Amino acid sequence: MSGDPLVEVRDLEMHFPLTRGVVLQRQYGAVRAVDGVSFSVGRGETFGLVGESGCGKSTTGRLIMRLLEPTGGQVLFEGEDITHSGRRELAPLRRDAQMVFQDPYSSLNPRKTVGSIIAEPFIIHGLASSADERRREVRDLMDRVGLNPEHYNRYPHQFSGGQRQRIGVARAIALKPKLLVADEPVSALDVSIQAQIINLLQDLQSELGLTLIFIAHDLSVVRHMCDRIAVMYLGKIVELTASEICFTEPRHPYTGALLASVPIPDPSISSVGRRPVLKGDVPSPSAPPAGCRFHTRCPKAQALCSQQEPPLAEQVNGSMVACHFPLDQAEATALLPK
Ligand code: SF4
């Protein structure tokens, strides 16, 4: 990554309190959804945040968008600390950073026409002077994302899942944002439609010079689109690496296990000899295991792993990895499709 980052998070934390009692609401613990996460995203970069459900990736996205206020650490946007900014100070961010959500249907108001849904950002930010101009802008946006502008007056239920996601994308790019946070934008869609939405996001990124944070639970989804990938486990980043290195030389056993569990679509490629994929469930983020949080599921775990938390440290291949006993090349290769 070169130049000033567009987004930076430093030691970011989001601990949701667990309370007991209807009146006194005494706190007895906390869900440590995000627990000390640091990374930067460069302008024009596509940055992947990947991990199983409950690893904190979506919460991290919402913290960057300041839809949540962090309980610790910092969020910087264009070098400005927005961690605890109020509503008025966040106004520029609300224009410059937009989000695409996983479920396009629930994020669209079913009682509004598609035209008025896509026009919302112009109205909220007072950016289109007349109704005619607004209608023109919206039709252009519909065309740009592959929707028929003639369907301006239709309602969300009259569109397919993929088309509804295109509506969400059109609304998100309406104000020409600098940053797009896409939170599992394709996981609710059929595989055949997923590629279309990914291609659309890639095209828009290069046309508009967008910076994209792409959140996914499946490494295969981010493979061809991300410059760098951060793999999260139980609220922490366990591996942060260039995309091509992630898929050829994973160093963290968890990244290796995620790669080993990626289905092989080509029947001519053998899965023989690949190591077993992840076993067991992710422990509760309200009581994460001591030491390395992955030690309860890690095939390489040793005594030290349950005693000492491994720091995120640079490996010879340039990856940042949090592991006392990272995979060597032979172990990594055994996990990859032959
Ligand atoms: Fe596995 Fe130990 Fe590395 Fe954690 S520190 S990933 S338990 S080998």
Side-chain angles (χ1 to χ4, degrees):
M1 197 194 73
S2 59
D4 289 341
L6 182 72
V7 177
E8 207 174 339
V9 298
R10 297 178 184 160
D11 217 8
L12 195 62
E13 280 182 7
M14 188 70 221
H15 295 181
F16 295 102
L18 290 168
T19 56
R20 189 180 278 136
V22 181
V23 182
L24 289 177
Q25 296 262 308
R26 264 211 287 274
Q27 184 175 343
Y28 67 92
V31 174
R32 296 156 78 162
V34 177
D35 207 12
V37 162
S38 302
F39 60 84
S40 317
V41 185
R43 289 173 194 273
E45 185 180 15
T46 303
F47 187 84
L49 266 179
V50 182
E52 287 167 289
S53 163
C55 71
K57 56 192 189 302
S58 293
T59 305
T60 303
R62 283 169 162 75
L63 290 168
I64 290 169
M65 294 294 299
R66 273 303 321 277
L67 300 176
L68 292 169
E69 186 166 349
T71 50
Q74 283 179 299
V75 183
L76 285 84
F77 187 78
E78 296 196 296
E80 193 180 323
D81 188 342
I82 56 162
T83 318
H84 302 293
S85 296
R87 202 183 154 140
R88 190 171 298 171
E89 297 149 296
L90 285 174
L93 179 79
R94 298 282 172 252
R95 262 198 320 271
D96 290 340
Q98 295 290 323
M99 200 154 183
V100 175
F101 296 93
Q102 173 179 2
D103 181 354
Y105 198 53
S106 66
S107 66
L108 304 175
N109 186 336
R111 284 188 289 275
K112 286 193 165 185
T113 64
V114 166
S116 53
I117 287 171
I118 299 174
E120 269 168 9
F122 295 112
I123 296 166
I124 291 168
H125 294 277
L127 290 175
S129 55
S130 68
D132 277 353
E133 188 188 335
R134 214 158 48 228
R135 197 167 294 118
R136 230 181 354 261
E137 295 262 20
V138 170
R139 283 173 180 271
D140 283 351
L141 281 164
M142 290 179 75
D143 190 41
R144 193 169 211 170
V145 301
L147 291 167
N148 184 347
E150 299 302 311
H151 297 164
Y152 184 97
N153 286 318
R154 292 195 178 179
Y155 289 87
H157 74 268
Q158 295 174 289
F159 292 85
S160 68
Q163 287 172 324
R164 288 199 284 258
Q165 196 53 290
R166 288 177 194 269
I167 298 167
V169 172
R171 182 175 57 182
I173 62 163
L175 303 181
K176 300 189 175 61
K178 296 172 182 167
L179 173 69
L180 196 62
V181 176
D183 186 7
E184 304 238 24
V186 297
S187 52
L189 304 175
D190 289 350
V191 176
S192 57
I193 309 294
Q194 289 185 359
Q196 293 174 15
I197 298 297
I198 288 174
N199 289 342
L200 171 66
L201 288 171
Q202 281 182 306
D203 291 348
L204 290 172
Q205 187 194 23
S206 53
E207 273 173 41
L208 303 174
L210 279 171
T211 302
L212 184 61
I213 296 178
F214 195 100
I215 298 169
H217 63 264
D218 184 346
L219 268 171
S220 62
V221 169
V222 296
R223 174 163 201 161
H224 298 294
M225 66 178 312
C226 290
D227 300 303
R228 288 186 304 147
I229 292 173
V231 178
M232 289 187 72
Y233 186 78
L234 268 185
K236 290 192 174 286
I237 290 180
V238 296
E239 183 154 6
L240 175 54
T241 184
S243 184
E244 69 272 16
I245 293 179
C246 181
F247 288 94
T248 52
E249 302 175 41
R251 287 288 181 253
H252 196 282
Y254 180 60
T255 313
L258 285 182
L259 278 173
S261 61
V262 168
I264 302 171
D266 183 349
S268 66
I269 297 175
S270 167
S271 60
V272 175
R274 290 173 90 197
R275 298 248 180 107
V277 293
L278 280 169
K279 290 198 186 109
D281 295 325
V282 182
S284 167
S286 61
C292 171
R293 293 184 178 189
F294 187 53
H295 83 259
T296 54
R297 303 169 81 196
C298 180
K300 288 197 73 176
Q302 299 185 34
L304 176 68
C305 302
S306 56
Q307 292 155 10
Q308 247 180 53
E309 186 174 341
L312 202 60
E314 187 164 357
Q315 308 295 304
V316 283
N317 64 1
S319 301
M320 301 295 292
V321 176
C323 177
H324 294 304
F325 309 103
L327 301 173
D328 60 28
Q329 188 57 55
E331 290 171 315
T333 306
L335 293 165
L336 305 173
K338 302 285 177 293

